[in-house]
Amino acid sequence: MRWSGHDQNEEADNMYNINRYLNLKEKLKELRTIALTGIAEAGSGHPGASFSAAEIMGCLYFQIMNNDIKNPSNPNRDYFINSKAHSAPGYYATLSLVGSFPKEEIKTLRKLNSRLQGHPVRFSEMQKHHSVPGIEYSGGSEGIGLSVSIGICLANKLDKRDNMVYCLLGDGETNEGQIWEASMAAAKFKLNNLIAILDRNKIQQDGFTEEIMPIDPIKEKWLSFNWEVVEINGHKIEQLIPELLKKPVDRPKIIIANTVKGNGIKHMANNPQWHGKAPSKKHLPLLIRELEGEYMISPSIIAGTDGIGEESLKQKIATAERYGADMIHLDVMDGKFVPNSTFFFDTIKKLRDGTRLPFDTHLMIQNPAKVLEQYIDAGCDVISVHAEACSNEQEFEKINTKLISSGVSPGLAVNPGTELPEWVFSYLDNLDVIIIMSVNPGFAGQKFIPEVLPKMKRAIPLLRERGFKGYFEADGGIDLSTIKQCFDAGCRIFVMGNAIFGNSDVEKRIRDTKFLLDSYLEKSLLDESQSLNLEEDWIKGRRNIIEQFNLAR
Ligand code: DX5
Ligand code: ZN
């Protein structure tokens, strides 16, 4: 994905790019799963802070930082200073995913003789096997990491290195006076090699930040200390990545990342009780299922009565974004592969500047390999081609290699009457999404073909068993009456055209869909808790949610 014309920083223009958006989303899910497993095994730890900062840490380590974990003392590395060290389980999970240590080791979290202690300890070459490669700073006492970051920034400047220092701050942590002293010093020294990220989840150890020690208006405070300040949603990687990439020009920069403490697990979300409490081991399978239930809504903008003129498309994107869509589904049809034609890469290019939402492009065209480059350049984040449009596996391989090397998430789509080709198993790691069409492609507003459900139910578990970690996308006739079956079958991206734009109240349609899926997942977790004999326990823990969704038995 790319867009241009952002702020004064020339360098950042046209360079913004999420590398394999869907793959990154998958890794973030794994990060939460690993962190939660560690906390449950340990019986203590901080899920709340780990989950509010998951996207921040994941984006930094998986995509932004120049940080070769096999060579953790490389003087040219970018630094991550985890000042709010309580997010340690999430931090360890992130490091395990970049190869710092085996993922299994998370089960030693907080145990005697483990190197994964409650508060991270700085890596030392002399203690190679007893410390964690990648950890730059021993945290735990709050309020100090920004000062340490400044020291590193100044040293790097003296050494004429242009590596960056990223410092993660907690909002409760900014109660400490030292943060503000450091903030003045960073501005005085014009540290444009420093980006601080404030995990603004509004909860600290003993309650809500604004009740304990109000820090708002936090943006104005940092501005008055002469920092560059931007404010974003800290769970949206399409907002985080460009801001983390864009280096400040003549002063330090802080990203105020609005987050939700415990984000990902409903009863932990925005709940001060889960700042530092562990779920029990027996609940872990349910929590992991909840994480696996995360889904995305991808509205198809060819739908609706307003047509597909550029203005109308822009309008639909803006409305979908305002009301909580996760991606935008772009149906490209050439009138040859399908009996209808819509728009091409030039239109997508024009739409790109209007939104940060990822573009989920579905190419229903002949010879996709010939025009692939233009769609990559237009700023698509996901590009799916049809198996039926590739003359053989070699053609798909060419497309796949090109997409991977361009940082675009590759997808493969099949028509309702087509089985997934046998060669799909050769792309388990290099495929981010599989679209199992539930209408014959060509038009929005068609009726869902129920015969595709058995195909989904056959193919999805088989691919999972073989190790496919990517997404399954349901596309065609998805509405409130068909979405649950596709969710059950394992789909987690839902394309919705007519169900969203075929009605004037887009907000209600998106809200109703999310409500339906959320309560459906909740109900299936309750059923599972019953089969695991955890029902009472689980219901107690989820009482609020149950009341909210009116599912009490
Ligand atoms: C069909 C397209 C779909 C379609 C979705 O050829 O690939 O994305 O537009 O629209 P609905 O949800 O109305 O079927
Ligand atoms: Zn489509």
Side-chain angles (χ1 to χ4, degrees), residues 60-91:
L60 279 170
Y61 275 93
F62 306 151
Q63 304 234 329
I64 304 287
M65 292 199 306
N66 171 17
N67 193 309
D68 173 10
I69 208 74
K70 299 286 171 231
N71 190 5
S73 305
N74 183 336
N76 292 318
R77 70 193 184 276
D78 292 329
Y79 288 72
F80 174 63
I81 301 297
N82 188 5
S83 189
K84 53 160 266 173
H86 291 96
S87 49
Y91 188 18

Side-chain angles (χ1 to χ4, degrees), residues 20 372 385 393-406 408-412 426-427 429-432:
R20 284 178 74 183
L372 198 65
V385 299
E393 188 200 337
Q394 285 67 36
E395 190 173 339
F396 182 75
E397 189 185 359
K398 227 171 82 188
I399 293 173
N400 187 268
T401 310
K402 176 78 194 151
L403 291 176
I404 296 269
S405 66
S406 311
V408 175
S409 272
L412 178 69
S426 317
Y427 297 90
D429 291 334
N430 288 341
L431 200 54
D432 290 345

Side-chain angles (χ1 to χ4, degrees), residues 300 302 329-333 362 364 435 437 473 475-476 495:
S300 163
I302 59 166
H329 188 77
L330 299 158
D331 285 308
V332 175
M333 303 185 187
H362 179 187
M364 284 157 281
I435 304 183
M437 295 290 301
E473 178 164 339
D475 183 7
V495 177

